[in-house]
Amino acid sequence: MIKDLNNGIFYMLASSFLGAVNGAIAKTLASSIPALEIVFFRNILGVIIILAILKHTPSHIDRKNLPFLVLRGFFGFVAMFLFFYTITVIPLGDAITLNKTSPIFVAILSFFILREKLNIYKITAILLGFAGVIMIAKPSGFELDFPYFLGILGGFFAASAYTTINKIKHIYDSRVIVLSFMGMGSILPLLLFLIAPYMNTPLIKEFILPKELNSYLLIGLMALTATLSQWLLTKAYSAKNISVVATISYSIIPFAVFFGVMLGDKLPDSITLTGIFLIVVAGILSKK
């Protein structure tokens, strides 16, 4: 059991490291292509891989619950889009920390939608989590900087996607659930690219075909690190003590802070570090 747990911790550390690398690649790519395009390329490569796997080993599709499958894909796409956008405009460590508020929102959504009870741990997690968000975002009066608001919104949509998965995880093959997410992440950007010329927003920009070989290499590396990170994550959660392994998942935050500083982000101040700590604690408590 100890060996199995140690393996789980190793897999989670490796997954978190690659997750932070993936964020750093996305931040680097953002200097040449828009965030929406990064999402598109990341997902279209994933769709090709998943379809190839499903062709080799087909899976049954339950049409009765397709609306939930589509909803999961939509929530997942919005969460990823907002996450990649915030990566481009705020420090990498801050962006990933705000995305890790999703367990707090899961606790809230589970209470209202799935009718699950809130124990003292989850209530404490919600309070600590939002205190941490305030410390990281540092709102001026009642005004919250738009990128930080989008980062929090991304955490909410990620939680919505996770909550939806709870409704369909016993109905659909995990590959089909992933395909719904990546499929939406490929189709919706194409639709947004079509209307981009008629919109004046920093979020939605026209499609720009990368001209440099370096951009294509980074796109391929991003797809590879994302796939490996997800595979290691799956391996990590196969360990006996999931609660310990899940706690290690927050190691992605210091990794992200390190890579962010390497890319030019400022070192987090004491208030931001306190906020990160509170969100980590909240995330751990929310699972109890």
Side-chain angles (χ1 to χ4, degrees):
M1 182 176 176
I2 298 297
K3 182 180 179 181
D4 184 64
L5 177 59
N6 288 337
N7 286 339
I9 291 172
F10 170 77
Y11 289 135
M12 184 56 79
L13 281 171
S15 175
S16 297
F17 177 79
L18 288 175
V21 169
N22 193 255
I25 295 170
K27 194 173 184 71
T28 304
L29 269 172
S31 63
S32 57
I33 60 176
L36 184 62
E37 202 166 325
I38 295 172
V39 172
F40 170 73
F41 281 122
R42 186 184 186 278
N43 284 305
I44 196 68
L45 291 173
V47 166
I48 293 169
I49 294 169
I50 296 294
L51 285 177
I53 294 171
L54 285 171
K55 184 177 180 180
H56 182 268
T57 313
S59 177
H60 172 70
I61 304 293
D62 182 354
R63 296 183 180 181
K64 183 180 177 182
N65 290 282
L66 273 178
F68 286 109
L69 193 64
V70 172
L71 202 59
R72 184 270 180 266
F74 174 75
F75 287 151
F77 158 69
V78 175
M80 177 181 280
F81 178 33
L82 293 176
F83 172 59
F84 277 118
Y85 176 75
T86 54
I87 277 177
T88 67
V89 292
I90 67 175
L92 183 60
D94 289 4
I96 286 184
T97 302
L98 292 177
N99 189 258
K100 294 293 280 185
T101 58
S102 56
I104 303 164
F105 286 116
V106 166
I108 296 171
L109 291 172
S110 295
F111 173 73
F112 286 106
I113 298 174
L114 303 179
R115 302 301 179 185
E116 293 183 3
K117 293 183 178 180
L118 288 177
N119 57 32
I120 188 63
Y121 294 108
K122 286 183 170 59
I123 293 171
T124 304
I126 292 168
L127 296 174
L128 288 179
F130 284 109
V133 165
I134 291 170
M135 288 185 171
I136 292 173
K138 301 181 183 68
S140 176
F142 291 101
E143 294 183 4
L144 182 67
D145 284 349
F146 188 59
Y148 284 91
F149 168 73
L150 292 180
I152 298 165
L153 197 61
F156 171 78
F157 275 103
S160 300
Y162 298 146
T163 305
T164 308
I165 289 173
N166 280 332
K167 299 281 287 185
I168 61 175
K169 64 182 179 182
H170 300 302
I171 302 171
Y172 293 105
D173 186 308
S174 60
R175 297 169 299 168
V176 174
I177 296 175
V178 172
L179 181 62
S180 72
F181 159 54
M182 292 186 169
M184 278 288 189
S186 303
I187 296 169
L188 291 179
L190 288 174
L191 297 175
L192 292 173
F193 289 140
L194 291 175
I195 64 173
Y198 310 101
M199 302 186 70
N200 182 23
T201 170
L203 280 171
I204 303 172
K205 297 183 179 180
E206 293 183 57
F207 182 86
I208 302 171
L209 187 67
K211 297 179 180 178
E212 298 179 358
L213 176 62
N214 185 51
S215 295
Y216 289 102
L217 292 175
L218 286 174
I219 289 168
L221 185 59
M222 183 175 65
L224 178 62
T225 54
T227 303
L228 283 174
S229 178
Q230 287 299 309
W231 178 74
L232 288 165
L233 187 72
T234 303
K235 293 280 289 181
Y237 277 116
S238 65
K240 297 291 183 183
N241 197 330
I242 293 178
S243 60
V244 175
V245 173
T247 301
I248 301 300
S249 71
Y250 286 92
S251 61
I252 191 174
I253 295 175
F255 287 139
V257 170
F258 171 76
F259 285 119
V261 171
M262 293 292 288
L263 291 173
D265 291 342
K266 292 181 180 179
L267 279 169
D269 58 27
S270 58
I271 296 176
T272 300
L273 287 173
T274 303
I276 290 173
F277 173 75
L278 289 178
I279 288 176
V280 171
V281 173
I284 295 169
L285 288 175
S286 68
K287 295 178 174 65
K288 293 183 177 293

